[in-house]
mmCIF file of all heavy atoms in Angstrom:
data_model
loop_
_atom_site.group_PDB
_atom_site.id
_atom_site.type_symbol
_atom_site.label_atom_id
_atom_site.label_comp_id
_atom_site.label_asym_id
_atom_site.label_seq_id
_atom_site.Cartn_x
_atom_site.Cartn_y
_atom_site.Cartn_z
ATOM 1 N N VAL D 1 136.775 -53.342 -135.162
ATOM 2 C CA VAL D 1 136.462 -52.212 -134.488
ATOM 3 C C VAL D 1 137.072 -52.234 -132.961
ATOM 4 O O VAL D 1 137.683 -51.267 -132.430
ATOM 5 C CB VAL D 1 134.975 -51.868 -134.337
ATOM 6 C CG1 VAL D 1 134.563 -50.760 -133.331
ATOM 7 C CG2 VAL D 1 134.359 -51.537 -135.655
ATOM 8 N N SER D 2 137.056 -53.414 -132.427
ATOM 9 C CA SER D 2 137.570 -53.581 -131.086
ATOM 10 C C SER D 2 139.107 -53.464 -131.093
ATOM 11 O O SER D 2 139.684 -52.935 -130.200
ATOM 12 C CB SER D 2 137.264 -55.052 -130.565
ATOM 13 O OG SER D 2 135.891 -55.028 -130.343
ATOM 14 N N GLN D 3 139.747 -54.006 -132.251
ATOM 15 C CA GLN D 3 141.188 -53.709 -132.302
ATOM 16 C C GLN D 3 141.656 -52.243 -132.468
ATOM 17 O O GLN D 3 142.571 -51.887 -131.800
ATOM 18 C CB GLN D 3 141.691 -54.541 -133.692
ATOM 19 C CG GLN D 3 141.596 -55.938 -133.520
ATOM 20 C CD GLN D 3 142.266 -56.723 -134.690
ATOM 21 O OE1 GLN D 3 143.224 -56.414 -135.027
ATOM 22 N NE2 GLN D 3 141.463 -57.726 -135.251
ATOM 23 N N GLN D 4 140.761 -51.560 -132.991
ATOM 24 C CA GLN D 4 141.034 -50.039 -133.006
ATOM 25 C C GLN D 4 140.891 -49.491 -131.603
ATOM 26 O O GLN D 4 141.692 -48.586 -131.232
ATOM 27 C CB GLN D 4 140.018 -49.364 -133.939
ATOM 28 C CG GLN D 4 140.197 -49.564 -135.471
ATOM 29 C CD GLN D 4 141.604 -49.179 -135.775
ATOM 30 O OE1 GLN D 4 142.204 -48.227 -135.508
ATOM 31 N NE2 GLN D 4 142.146 -50.285 -136.559
ATOM 32 N N MET D 5 139.948 -49.963 -130.761
ATOM 33 C CA MET D 5 139.803 -49.516 -129.468
ATOM 34 C C MET D 5 141.093 -49.967 -128.677
ATOM 35 O O MET D 5 141.421 -49.290 -127.715
ATOM 36 C CB MET D 5 138.557 -50.096 -128.829
ATOM 37 C CG MET D 5 137.369 -49.383 -129.351
ATOM 38 S SD MET D 5 135.840 -49.880 -128.465
ATOM 39 C CE MET D 5 135.201 -51.222 -129.365
ATOM 40 N N TYR D 6 141.683 -51.076 -128.979
ATOM 41 C CA TYR D 6 142.842 -51.542 -128.293
ATOM 42 C C TYR D 6 144.039 -50.568 -128.612
ATOM 43 O O TYR D 6 144.903 -50.234 -127.703
ATOM 44 C CB TYR D 6 143.238 -52.966 -128.730
ATOM 45 C CG TYR D 6 142.292 -54.090 -128.554
ATOM 46 C CD1 TYR D 6 142.407 -55.284 -129.046
ATOM 47 C CD2 TYR D 6 141.344 -53.917 -127.517
ATOM 48 C CE1 TYR D 6 141.590 -56.301 -128.833
ATOM 49 C CE2 TYR D 6 140.278 -54.932 -127.208
ATOM 50 C CZ TYR D 6 140.526 -56.231 -127.901
ATOM 51 O OH TYR D 6 139.632 -57.235 -127.636
ATOM 52 N N PHE D 7 144.091 -50.153 -129.909
ATOM 53 C CA PHE D 7 145.137 -49.167 -130.217
ATOM 54 C C PHE D 7 144.906 -47.923 -129.453
ATOM 55 O O PHE D 7 145.786 -47.283 -128.997
ATOM 56 C CB PHE D 7 145.124 -48.868 -131.729
ATOM 57 C CG PHE D 7 145.690 -49.981 -132.637
ATOM 58 C CD1 PHE D 7 144.952 -50.465 -133.588
ATOM 59 C CD2 PHE D 7 146.958 -50.579 -132.258
ATOM 60 C CE1 PHE D 7 145.577 -51.527 -134.390
ATOM 61 C CE2 PHE D 7 147.559 -51.603 -133.032
ATOM 62 C CZ PHE D 7 146.862 -52.012 -134.067
ATOM 63 N N ASP D 8 143.652 -47.580 -129.238
ATOM 64 C CA ASP D 8 143.358 -46.324 -128.525
ATOM 65 C C ASP D 8 143.781 -46.418 -127.146
ATOM 66 O O ASP D 8 144.293 -45.419 -126.460
ATOM 67 C CB ASP D 8 141.878 -45.884 -128.562
ATOM 68 C CG ASP D 8 141.394 -45.352 -129.935
ATOM 69 O OD1 ASP D 8 142.242 -44.942 -130.706
ATOM 70 O OD2 ASP D 8 140.194 -45.293 -130.231
ATOM 71 N N LEU D 9 143.664 -47.580 -126.471
ATOM 72 C CA LEU D 9 144.164 -47.823 -125.101
ATOM 73 C C LEU D 9 145.592 -47.665 -125.019
ATOM 74 O O LEU D 9 146.095 -46.999 -124.036
ATOM 75 C CB LEU D 9 143.761 -49.260 -124.611
ATOM 76 C CG LEU D 9 142.255 -49.523 -124.273
ATOM 77 C CD1 LEU D 9 142.040 -50.921 -124.071
ATOM 78 C CD2 LEU D 9 141.820 -48.765 -123.101
ATOM 79 N N GLY D 10 146.232 -48.050 -126.075
ATOM 80 C CA GLY D 10 147.742 -47.958 -126.203
ATOM 81 C C GLY D 10 148.061 -46.499 -126.243
ATOM 82 O O GLY D 10 149.058 -46.019 -125.619
ATOM 83 N N LYS D 11 147.422 -45.726 -127.075
ATOM 84 C CA LYS D 11 147.693 -44.253 -127.187
ATOM 85 C C LYS D 11 147.422 -43.534 -125.964
ATOM 86 O O LYS D 11 148.376 -42.667 -125.493
ATOM 87 C CB LYS D 11 146.734 -43.702 -128.262
ATOM 88 C CG LYS D 11 147.049 -43.998 -129.704
ATOM 89 C CD LYS D 11 146.066 -43.334 -130.697
ATOM 90 C CE LYS D 11 146.290 -43.791 -132.005
ATOM 91 N NZ LYS D 11 145.256 -44.552 -132.540
ATOM 92 N N GLN D 12 146.336 -43.850 -125.242
ATOM 93 C CA GLN D 12 146.033 -43.172 -123.878
ATOM 94 C C GLN D 12 147.182 -43.426 -122.950
ATOM 95 O O GLN D 12 147.689 -42.438 -122.386
ATOM 96 C CB GLN D 12 144.797 -43.633 -123.477
ATOM 97 C CG GLN D 12 144.263 -43.059 -122.185
ATOM 98 C CD GLN D 12 143.056 -43.500 -121.578
ATOM 99 O OE1 GLN D 12 142.338 -44.434 -122.147
ATOM 100 N NE2 GLN D 12 142.624 -42.996 -120.449
ATOM 101 N N GLU D 13 147.548 -44.576 -122.747
ATOM 102 C CA GLU D 13 148.625 -44.909 -121.885
ATOM 103 C C GLU D 13 149.879 -44.285 -122.319
ATOM 104 O O GLU D 13 150.701 -43.709 -121.431
ATOM 105 C CB GLU D 13 148.788 -46.419 -121.731
ATOM 106 C CG GLU D 13 149.854 -46.747 -120.577
ATOM 107 C CD GLU D 13 150.056 -48.217 -120.214
ATOM 108 O OE1 GLU D 13 149.562 -49.017 -120.960
ATOM 109 O OE2 GLU D 13 150.820 -48.430 -119.246
ATOM 110 N N PHE D 14 150.222 -44.264 -123.577
ATOM 111 C CA PHE D 14 151.527 -43.644 -123.958
ATOM 112 C C PHE D 14 151.402 -42.167 -123.716
ATOM 113 O O PHE D 14 152.417 -41.601 -123.161
ATOM 114 C CB PHE D 14 151.478 -43.877 -125.559
ATOM 115 C CG PHE D 14 152.769 -43.485 -126.275
ATOM 116 C CD1 PHE D 14 153.958 -44.228 -126.150
ATOM 117 C CD2 PHE D 14 152.891 -42.194 -126.848
ATOM 118 C CE1 PHE D 14 155.182 -43.868 -126.787
ATOM 119 C CE2 PHE D 14 154.026 -41.823 -127.510
ATOM 120 C CZ PHE D 14 155.259 -42.540 -127.304
ATOM 121 N N TYR D 15 150.390 -41.518 -124.049
ATOM 122 C CA TYR D 15 150.224 -40.090 -123.758
ATOM 123 C C TYR D 15 150.454 -39.733 -122.281
ATOM 124 O O TYR D 15 151.143 -38.770 -121.871
ATOM 125 C CB TYR D 15 148.947 -39.454 -124.253
ATOM 126 C CG TYR D 15 148.700 -39.451 -125.656
ATOM 127 C CD1 TYR D 15 147.417 -39.594 -126.173
ATOM 128 C CD2 TYR D 15 149.784 -39.457 -126.574
ATOM 129 C CE1 TYR D 15 147.286 -39.661 -127.534
ATOM 130 C CE2 TYR D 15 149.593 -39.584 -127.961
ATOM 131 C CZ TYR D 15 148.252 -39.596 -128.410
ATOM 132 O OH TYR D 15 147.978 -39.639 -129.816
ATOM 133 N N GLN D 16 149.825 -40.576 -121.455
ATOM 134 C CA GLN D 16 149.853 -40.325 -119.976
ATOM 135 C C GLN D 16 151.279 -40.495 -119.441
ATOM 136 O O GLN D 16 151.740 -39.828 -118.556
ATOM 137 C CB GLN D 16 149.001 -41.356 -119.322
ATOM 138 C CG GLN D 16 147.498 -40.932 -119.380
ATOM 139 C CD GLN D 16 146.487 -41.987 -118.833
ATOM 140 O OE1 GLN D 16 146.861 -43.100 -118.684
ATOM 141 N NE2 GLN D 16 145.359 -41.556 -118.409
ATOM 142 N N LYS D 17 152.144 -41.407 -120.062
ATOM 143 C CA LYS D 17 153.503 -41.645 -119.525
ATOM 144 C C LYS D 17 154.420 -40.690 -120.272
ATOM 145 O O LYS D 17 155.462 -40.379 -119.610
ATOM 146 C CB LYS D 17 153.782 -43.136 -119.914
ATOM 147 C CG LYS D 17 153.097 -44.111 -119.064
ATOM 148 C CD LYS D 17 153.799 -45.474 -119.229
ATOM 149 C CE LYS D 17 153.091 -46.537 -118.438
ATOM 150 N NZ LYS D 17 153.037 -46.354 -116.964
ATOM 151 N N MET D 18 154.106 -40.247 -121.418
ATOM 152 C CA MET D 18 155.114 -39.456 -122.080
ATOM 153 C C MET D 18 154.940 -37.983 -122.361
ATOM 154 O O MET D 18 155.882 -37.308 -122.615
ATOM 155 C CB MET D 18 155.237 -40.141 -123.635
ATOM 156 C CG MET D 18 155.710 -41.539 -123.584
ATOM 157 S SD MET D 18 157.283 -41.851 -122.992
ATOM 158 C CE MET D 18 158.252 -41.027 -124.170
ATOM 159 N N LEU D 19 153.830 -37.431 -121.998
ATOM 160 C CA LEU D 19 153.447 -36.144 -122.211
ATOM 161 C C LEU D 19 152.930 -35.446 -120.939
ATOM 162 O O LEU D 19 152.410 -36.123 -120.123
ATOM 163 C CB LEU D 19 152.439 -35.855 -123.420
ATOM 164 C CG LEU D 19 152.897 -36.172 -124.658
ATOM 165 C CD1 LEU D 19 151.856 -36.252 -125.762
ATOM 166 C CD2 LEU D 19 154.052 -35.394 -125.189
ATOM 167 N N PRO D 20 153.094 -34.133 -120.786
ATOM 168 C CA PRO D 20 152.558 -33.492 -119.582
ATOM 169 C C PRO D 20 150.965 -33.583 -119.583
ATOM 170 O O PRO D 20 150.437 -33.632 -120.710
ATOM 171 C CB PRO D 20 153.014 -31.999 -119.797
ATOM 172 C CG PRO D 20 154.102 -31.977 -120.733
ATOM 173 C CD PRO D 20 153.912 -33.148 -121.713
ATOM 174 N N GLU D 21 150.407 -33.737 -118.438
ATOM 175 C CA GLU D 21 148.885 -33.775 -118.338
ATOM 176 C C GLU D 21 148.102 -32.800 -119.167
ATOM 177 O O GLU D 21 147.047 -33.104 -119.690
ATOM 178 C CB GLU D 21 148.495 -33.812 -116.929
ATOM 179 C CG GLU D 21 146.936 -34.185 -116.844
ATOM 180 C CD GLU D 21 146.569 -34.210 -115.291
ATOM 181 O OE1 GLU D 21 147.396 -34.294 -114.473
ATOM 182 O OE2 GLU D 21 145.346 -34.131 -115.108
ATOM 183 N N ARG D 22 148.619 -31.598 -119.158
ATOM 184 C CA ARG D 22 147.807 -30.532 -119.888
ATOM 185 C C ARG D 22 147.611 -30.791 -121.347
ATOM 186 O O ARG D 22 146.704 -30.390 -121.981
ATOM 187 C CB ARG D 22 148.389 -29.191 -119.651
ATOM 188 C CG ARG D 22 149.747 -28.912 -120.199
ATOM 189 C CD ARG D 22 150.350 -27.665 -119.901
ATOM 190 N NE ARG D 22 151.660 -27.334 -120.412
ATOM 191 C CZ ARG D 22 152.789 -27.822 -119.855
ATOM 192 N NH1 ARG D 22 152.682 -28.492 -118.709
ATOM 193 N NH2 ARG D 22 153.927 -27.616 -120.422
ATOM 194 N N VAL D 23 148.572 -31.677 -121.851
ATOM 195 C CA VAL D 23 148.386 -32.034 -123.224
ATOM 196 C C VAL D 23 147.232 -32.873 -123.567
ATOM 197 O O VAL D 23 146.548 -32.829 -124.613
ATOM 198 C CB VAL D 23 149.661 -32.755 -123.808
ATOM 199 C CG1 VAL D 23 149.428 -33.248 -125.186
ATOM 200 C CG2 VAL D 23 150.846 -31.822 -123.667
ATOM 201 N N LEU D 24 146.659 -33.574 -122.440
ATOM 202 C CA LEU D 24 145.566 -34.401 -122.574
ATOM 203 C C LEU D 24 144.254 -33.614 -122.147
ATOM 204 O O LEU D 24 143.129 -34.074 -122.500
ATOM 205 C CB LEU D 24 145.675 -35.632 -121.776
ATOM 206 C CG LEU D 24 146.868 -36.556 -122.213
ATOM 207 C CD1 LEU D 24 147.038 -37.717 -121.220
ATOM 208 C CD2 LEU D 24 146.665 -37.039 -123.548
ATOM 209 N N THR D 25 144.437 -32.599 -121.378
ATOM 210 C CA THR D 25 143.173 -32.012 -120.773
ATOM 211 C C THR D 25 143.185 -30.484 -121.149
ATOM 212 O O THR D 25 142.071 -29.883 -120.876
ATOM 213 C CB THR D 25 143.298 -32.137 -119.253
ATOM 214 O OG1 THR D 25 144.375 -31.391 -118.726
ATOM 215 C CG2 THR D 25 143.137 -33.617 -118.860
ATOM 216 N N GLY D 26 144.242 -29.892 -121.581
ATOM 217 C CA GLY D 26 144.239 -28.450 -121.804
ATOM 218 C C GLY D 26 143.454 -28.065 -123.178
ATOM 219 O O GLY D 26 143.020 -28.883 -123.864
ATOM 220 N N LYS D 27 143.592 -26.741 -123.482
ATOM 221 C CA LYS D 27 142.969 -26.353 -124.737
ATOM 222 C C LYS D 27 143.804 -26.583 -125.907
ATOM 223 O O LYS D 27 143.396 -26.651 -127.128
ATOM 224 C CB LYS D 27 142.627 -24.820 -124.669
ATOM 225 C CG LYS D 27 143.968 -23.984 -124.515
ATOM 226 C CD LYS D 27 143.426 -22.473 -124.475
ATOM 227 C CE LYS D 27 144.723 -21.586 -124.382
ATOM 228 N NZ LYS D 27 144.451 -20.184 -124.290
ATOM 229 N N ARG D 28 145.129 -27.034 -125.729
ATOM 230 C CA ARG D 28 146.135 -27.328 -126.844
ATOM 231 C C ARG D 28 146.440 -28.785 -126.593
ATOM 232 O O ARG D 28 147.145 -29.204 -125.598
ATOM 233 C CB ARG D 28 147.316 -26.499 -126.699
ATOM 234 C CG ARG D 28 146.934 -25.066 -126.904
ATOM 235 C CD ARG D 28 148.277 -24.128 -126.959
ATOM 236 N NE ARG D 28 148.641 -23.903 -128.305
ATOM 237 C CZ ARG D 28 149.805 -23.470 -128.759
ATOM 238 N NH1 ARG D 28 150.782 -23.345 -127.676
ATOM 239 N NH2 ARG D 28 150.141 -23.230 -129.982
ATOM 240 N N ARG D 29 145.768 -29.617 -127.502
ATOM 241 C CA ARG D 29 145.949 -30.996 -127.375
ATOM 242 C C ARG D 29 146.375 -31.801 -128.582
ATOM 243 O O ARG D 29 146.605 -31.075 -129.574
ATOM 244 C CB ARG D 29 144.684 -31.633 -126.910
ATOM 245 C CG ARG D 29 144.229 -31.117 -125.560
ATOM 246 C CD ARG D 29 142.937 -31.800 -125.075
ATOM 247 N NE ARG D 29 141.786 -31.354 -125.909
ATOM 248 C CZ ARG D 29 140.589 -31.124 -125.424
ATOM 249 N NH1 ARG D 29 140.254 -31.282 -124.228
ATOM 250 N NH2 ARG D 29 139.643 -30.757 -126.255
ATOM 251 N N ILE D 30 146.305 -33.076 -128.543
ATOM 252 C CA ILE D 30 146.594 -33.832 -129.799
ATOM 253 C C ILE D 30 145.235 -34.498 -130.243
ATOM 254 O O ILE D 30 144.451 -34.968 -129.516
ATOM 255 C CB ILE D 30 147.547 -35.014 -129.483
ATOM 256 C CG1 ILE D 30 148.810 -34.393 -129.040
ATOM 257 C CG2 ILE D 30 147.853 -35.897 -130.602
ATOM 258 C CD1 ILE D 30 149.914 -35.407 -128.543
ATOM 259 N N ILE D 31 145.042 -34.373 -131.564
ATOM 260 C CA ILE D 31 143.897 -35.138 -132.123
ATOM 261 C C ILE D 31 144.262 -36.069 -133.260
ATOM 262 O O ILE D 31 145.408 -35.916 -133.802
ATOM 263 C CB ILE D 31 142.786 -34.117 -132.685
ATOM 264 C CG1 ILE D 31 143.411 -33.263 -133.780
ATOM 265 C CG2 ILE D 31 142.315 -33.259 -131.520
ATOM 266 C CD1 ILE D 31 142.431 -32.409 -134.415
ATOM 267 N N THR D 32 143.493 -37.133 -133.483
ATOM 268 C CA THR D 32 143.896 -37.919 -134.719
ATOM 269 C C THR D 32 143.386 -37.303 -136.009
ATOM 270 O O THR D 32 142.305 -36.967 -136.122
ATOM 271 C CB THR D 32 143.167 -39.275 -134.406
ATOM 272 O OG1 THR D 32 143.503 -39.894 -133.143
ATOM 273 C CG2 THR D 32 143.450 -40.229 -135.457
ATOM 274 N N ALA D 33 144.302 -37.299 -136.907
ATOM 275 C CA ALA D 33 144.058 -36.817 -138.274
ATOM 276 C C ALA D 33 143.815 -37.881 -139.336
ATOM 277 O O ALA D 33 143.111 -37.783 -140.236
ATOM 278 C CB ALA D 33 145.139 -35.776 -138.737
ATOM 279 N N ALA D 34 144.568 -38.982 -139.111
ATOM 280 C CA ALA D 34 144.519 -40.133 -140.076
ATOM 281 C C ALA D 34 145.015 -41.387 -139.376
ATOM 282 O O ALA D 34 145.827 -41.316 -138.530
ATOM 283 C CB ALA D 34 145.290 -39.791 -141.277
ATOM 284 N N THR D 35 144.460 -42.515 -139.847
ATOM 285 C CA THR D 35 144.902 -43.819 -139.390
ATOM 286 C C THR D 35 144.998 -44.794 -140.576
ATOM 287 O O THR D 35 144.212 -44.706 -141.475
ATOM 288 C CB THR D 35 144.044 -44.503 -138.245
ATOM 289 O OG1 THR D 35 142.695 -44.621 -138.860
ATOM 290 C CG2 THR D 35 143.951 -43.551 -136.977
ATOM 291 N N SER D 36 145.858 -45.667 -140.497
ATOM 292 C CA SER D 36 146.006 -46.800 -141.490
ATOM 293 C C SER D 36 146.247 -48.152 -140.755
ATOM 294 O O SER D 36 147.238 -48.057 -139.906
ATOM 295 C CB SER D 36 147.108 -46.533 -142.488
ATOM 296 O OG SER D 36 147.358 -47.476 -143.347
ATOM 297 N N THR D 37 145.481 -49.110 -141.033
ATOM 298 C CA THR D 37 145.672 -50.428 -140.272
ATOM 299 C C THR D 37 145.831 -51.505 -141.243
ATOM 300 O O THR D 37 145.134 -51.604 -142.224
ATOM 301 C CB THR D 37 144.391 -50.649 -139.394
ATOM 302 O OG1 THR D 37 144.329 -49.460 -138.524
ATOM 303 C CG2 THR D 37 144.534 -51.928 -138.624
ATOM 304 N N SER D 38 146.680 -52.420 -140.934
ATOM 305 C CA SER D 38 146.901 -53.584 -141.777
ATOM 306 C C SER D 38 146.636 -54.852 -140.853
ATOM 307 O O SER D 38 147.263 -54.946 -139.663
ATOM 308 C CB SER D 38 148.354 -53.765 -142.219
ATOM 309 O OG SER D 38 148.642 -52.666 -143.119
ATOM 310 N N TYR D 39 145.745 -55.696 -141.088
ATOM 311 C CA TYR D 39 145.261 -56.840 -140.418
ATOM 312 C C TYR D 39 146.217 -58.121 -140.947
ATOM 313 O O TYR D 39 145.970 -58.549 -142.164
ATOM 314 C CB TYR D 39 143.848 -57.103 -140.572
ATOM 315 C CG TYR D 39 143.023 -56.013 -139.945
ATOM 316 C CD1 TYR D 39 142.524 -55.045 -140.762
ATOM 317 C CD2 TYR D 39 142.815 -55.814 -138.616
ATOM 318 C CE1 TYR D 39 141.874 -53.804 -140.246
ATOM 319 C CE2 TYR D 39 142.106 -54.669 -138.067
ATOM 320 C CZ TYR D 39 141.806 -53.784 -138.998
ATOM 321 O OH TYR D 39 140.985 -52.609 -138.385
ATOM 322 N N LEU D 40 147.124 -58.524 -140.276
ATOM 323 C CA LEU D 40 148.008 -59.628 -140.575
ATOM 324 C C LEU D 40 147.659 -61.004 -140.131
ATOM 325 O O LEU D 40 148.199 -61.917 -140.803
ATOM 326 C CB LEU D 40 149.410 -59.196 -140.080
ATOM 327 C CG LEU D 40 149.908 -57.801 -140.350
ATOM 328 C CD1 LEU D 40 151.225 -57.532 -139.627
ATOM 329 C CD2 LEU D 40 150.000 -57.625 -141.799
ATOM 330 N N GLY D 41 146.709 -61.064 -139.192
ATOM 331 C CA GLY D 41 146.361 -62.355 -138.758
ATOM 332 C C GLY D 41 145.132 -62.224 -137.743
ATOM 333 O O GLY D 41 144.992 -61.174 -137.268
ATOM 334 N N GLN D 42 144.444 -63.262 -137.538
ATOM 335 C CA GLN D 42 143.393 -63.148 -136.707
ATOM 336 C C GLN D 42 143.764 -63.106 -135.152
ATOM 337 O O GLN D 42 144.696 -63.730 -134.822
ATOM 338 C CB GLN D 42 142.390 -64.435 -136.893
ATOM 339 C CG GLN D 42 141.759 -64.458 -138.262
ATOM 340 C CD GLN D 42 140.940 -65.772 -138.422
ATOM 341 O OE1 GLN D 42 140.142 -66.136 -137.569
ATOM 342 N NE2 GLN D 42 141.153 -66.383 -139.462
ATOM 343 N N ILE D 43 142.988 -62.544 -134.461
ATOM 344 C CA ILE D 43 143.028 -62.581 -132.961
ATOM 345 C C ILE D 43 141.838 -63.278 -132.467
ATOM 346 O O ILE D 43 140.728 -62.776 -132.650
ATOM 347 C CB ILE D 43 143.152 -61.119 -132.327
ATOM 348 C CG1 ILE D 43 144.412 -60.507 -132.991
ATOM 349 C CG2 ILE D 43 143.221 -61.202 -130.845
ATOM 350 C CD1 ILE D 43 144.602 -58.935 -132.482
ATOM 351 N N ARG D 44 142.092 -64.268 -131.674
ATOM 352 C CA ARG D 44 141.007 -65.012 -130.980
ATOM 353 C C ARG D 44 140.795 -64.786 -129.444
ATOM 354 O O ARG D 44 141.790 -64.253 -128.871
ATOM 355 C CB ARG D 44 141.152 -66.514 -131.356
ATOM 356 C CG ARG D 44 141.171 -66.823 -132.823
ATOM 357 C CD ARG D 44 140.843 -68.223 -133.090
ATOM 358 N NE ARG D 44 140.884 -68.478 -134.557
ATOM 359 C CZ ARG D 44 139.752 -68.374 -135.356
ATOM 360 N NH1 ARG D 44 138.617 -67.933 -134.788
ATOM 361 N NH2 ARG D 44 139.871 -68.641 -136.593
#
């Protein structure tokens, strides 16, 4: 679950750097429709 939150932090920063602000705050935005995750090794 924490690893998914790390991915969300990456998405948030990516959107802030790559898209106009209204894409994050306006009525026309981006939402998550599907995710797929592969766990390849432990993170300590």
Side-chain angles (χ1 to χ4, degrees):
V1 173
S2 294
Q3 291 185 46
Q4 292 304 314
M5 287 189 268
Y6 299 165
F7 286 130
D8 286 345
L9 288 171
K11 286 182 188 110
Q12 178 183 1
E13 184 178 8
F14 187 81
Y15 296 150
Q16 288 173 335
K17 289 191 183 298
M18 299 298 292
L19 291 171
E21 184 178 342
R22 68 182 176 279
V23 176
L24 300 174
T25 60
K27 65 180 179 182
R28 299 181 100 196
R29 297 183 292 217
I30 295 173
I31 60 170
T32 303
T35 60
S36 173
T37 303
S38 296
Y39 299 95
L40 309 172
Q42 296 180 43
I43 299 173
R44 300 200 178 272

